[in-house]
């Protein structure tokens, strides 16, 4: 019959476009799987110089959420596998690998979290229970001509003055401001610690030791007004991230007994070594930053370099306990900076702990939604409570 002969021809003519559209879908799924895998790899390898380092931060701290995308891609490709085993099968395999890498930091963070409190207790002692506190509104004070600090007050229910964390911002010594860690500072007040987030003069207009002088001036101002601020002038902790961590150790290791501890997040601590590994073609143009900050290479500036190097200032019996946090795949500040300081502290018998996070990069503590942020917050809380008790 004419109808029976005509129908198969229509099906055969339509089969080509259907297969073509199916292949396009499979190729699209494969491309999406490759893209997901490329981003997920940044949880285990250092980000290339040509790629913005924040991509690694996104992958490491939000991989638990980003992993949903390759999961959907892999599921869709799996449904196509019987029709297109080659391309769709490859997309399934790549998507599965991407999901695993995205969720790897969560698993590693959970495993490290199990061991974190015992390690911190061994290094610094047990943390006492948190006191009942009432955080107050942020106050801004001028502590020196042209320099201000944001003070985050705390009122303890037992009426005792609170320990105070002096927070030093990062920014490569030529940028950044005291509002950089506002969320982190507020979390500290809920734990029972007052916070003074300080401004300091910036390079290249003001090279080192201007930053040390400003930090010391802020500490002196806080001590002189401790009663009015409700803080204990004998229980201070210096804390900083990146460039601020360098300032924190260089100032905190000066021998002031009021400084009970130092927290340094992904910071350099031996400036001669920092110069030796700096490059013009890295993500920060670190040679430029070092020249601006210290005036040039170490030759002829040995004293400047040494006074800026917390590692060179370590002294048995005088250097305060130290908490270091660093991501293993940080491309802006190499993890070896913290490892070398930890080795020097160990040699001098100074209580310390290096929390090294295998998947993390620079600024990894910026949110407690990610595994590095959560671990950092826990470590800092324990450390502060233990060294100021």
């Amino acid at each position: 019959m004419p109808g029976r002969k005509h129908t198969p021809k229509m099906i055969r003519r339509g089969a080509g476009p259907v297969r073509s559209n199916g292949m396009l879908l499979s190729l699209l799924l494969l491309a999406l799987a490759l893209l997901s895998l490329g981003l997920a790899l940044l949880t285990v390898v250092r980000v290339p110089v040509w790629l913005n380092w924040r991509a690694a931060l996104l992958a490491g701290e939000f991989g638990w959420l980003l992993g949903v995308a390759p999961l959907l891609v892999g599921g869709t490709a799996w449904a196509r596998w019987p029709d297109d085993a080659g391309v769709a099968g490859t997309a399934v395999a790549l998507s599965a690998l991407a999901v695993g890498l995205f969720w790897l930091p969560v698993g590693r963070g959970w495993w490290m979290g199990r061991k974190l409190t015992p390690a911190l207790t061994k290094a610094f002692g047990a943390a006492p229970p948190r006191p009942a506190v009432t955080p107050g509104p942020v106050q801004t004070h001028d502590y020196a001509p042209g320099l201000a600090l944001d003070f985050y007050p705390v009122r303890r229910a037992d009426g005792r003055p609170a320990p105070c964390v002096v927070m030093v911002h990062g920014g490569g010594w030529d940028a950044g401001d005291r509002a950089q860690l506002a969320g982190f500072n507020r979390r500290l007040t809920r734990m029972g610690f007052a916070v003074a987030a300080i401004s300091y003069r910036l390079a290249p207009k003001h090279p080192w030791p201007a930053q040390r002088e400003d930090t010391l001036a802020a500490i002196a101002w806080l001590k002189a007004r401790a009663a009015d601020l409700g803080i204990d002038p004998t229980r201070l902790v210096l804390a900083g991230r990146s460039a601020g961590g360098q300032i924190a150790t260089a100032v905190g290791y000066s021998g002031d007994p009021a400084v009970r501890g130092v927290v340094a997040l992904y910071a350099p601590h031996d400036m001669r070594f920092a110069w030796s590994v700096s490059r013009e073609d890295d993500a920060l143009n670190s040679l430029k930053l070092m020249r601006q900050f210290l005036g040039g290479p170490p030759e002829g500036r040995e004293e400047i370099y040494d006074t800026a190097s917390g590692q060179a200032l370590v002294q048995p019996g005088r250097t305060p306990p130290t908490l270091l946090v660093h991501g293993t795949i940080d491309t802006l500040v190499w993890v070896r900076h913290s490892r070398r300081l930890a080795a020097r502290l160990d040699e001098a018998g100074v209580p310390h702990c290096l929390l090294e996070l295998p998947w993390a990069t620079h600024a990894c503590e910026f949110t407690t939604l990610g595994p590095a942020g959560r671990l950092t917050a826990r470590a800092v809380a324990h450390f502060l409570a233990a060294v100021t008790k």
Side-chain angles (χ1 to χ4, degrees), residues 25 278 352:
L25 176 58
S278 294
H352 68 282

Side-chain angles (χ1 to χ4, degrees), residues 310-354:
Q311 188 171 316
L313 303 174
V314 173
Q315 299 181 60
R318 295 191 65 191
T319 299
T322 302
L323 173 65
L324 304 171
V325 179
H326 216 128
T328 302
I329 56 175
D330 189 341
T331 53
L332 274 64
V333 179
W334 192 14
V335 68
R336 194 174 173 191
H337 291 285
S338 288
R339 290 176 181 170
R340 294 176 82 253
L341 177 57
R344 176 68 186 106
L345 293 169
D346 189 58
E347 179 184 300
V350 177
H352 68 282
C353 180
L354 168 57

Side-chain angles (χ1 to χ4, degrees), residues 57-236:
L57 183 62
L58 182 67
E61 297 310 298
F62 290 99
W64 54 271
L65 182 60
L66 295 173
V68 174
L71 189 64
L72 294 174
V73 170
T76 305
W78 178 272
R80 290 200 48 75
W81 200 338
D83 299 325
D84 187 4
V87 177
T90 303
V92 169
L94 295 179
S95 297
L97 183 56
V99 171
L101 290 174
F102 272 135
W103 289 349
L104 183 62
V106 174
R108 282 178 158 179
W110 173 80
W111 182 254
M112 293 181 68
R114 295 180 61 201
K115 302 178 180 180
L116 183 59
T117 298
L120 294 168
T121 300
K122 181 180 179 181
F124 309 115
R130 292 183 185 178
V133 298
T134 303
V138 179
Q139 307 165 9
T140 299
H141 301 278
D142 293 327
Y143 74 85
L147 293 171
L149 60 80
D150 290 335
F151 182 70
Y152 298 71
V154 166
R155 186 173 72 250
R156 292 173 53 124
D158 59 13
R160 296 180 59 190
C164 183
V165 179
V166 181
M167 188 65 68
V168 190
H169 69 79
W173 305 291
D174 65 354
D177 58 62
R178 64 182 185 274
Q180 192 176 78
L181 291 168
F184 195 85
N185 297 338
R186 291 189 182 92
R187 288 198 296 272
L188 293 182
T189 62
R190 293 193 291 271
M191 299 173 190
F193 305 98
V195 179
I198 68 170
S199 298
Y200 55 85
R201 288 172 290 172
L202 300 175
K205 184 177 181 180
H206 302 286
W208 184 267
Q211 297 73 20
R212 179 185 63 189
E213 294 167 356
D214 295 344
T215 306
L216 290 173
I219 292 173
W221 186 92
L222 290 166
K223 288 181 178 180
R225 291 156 180 80
D228 294 334
L229 297 172
I231 62 173
D232 186 341
T234 68
R235 292 193 294 162
L236 305 178

Side-chain angles (χ1 to χ4, degrees), residues 12-58:
R12 284 194 296 272
R13 288 171 185 168
V18 169
R19 283 196 296 271
S20 178
N21 291 339
M23 179 58 70
L24 287 175
L25 176 58
S26 295
L27 290 173
L28 175 61
L29 293 171
L30 179 60
L32 292 173
L34 282 169
L35 181 63
S36 296
L37 180 59
L39 184 58
L41 282 170
L42 298 181
T43 63
V44 292
V45 300
R46 288 183 173 87
V47 63
V49 174
W50 51 265
L51 185 62
N52 192 304
W53 63 272
R54 291 175 181 82
L57 183 62
L58 182 67

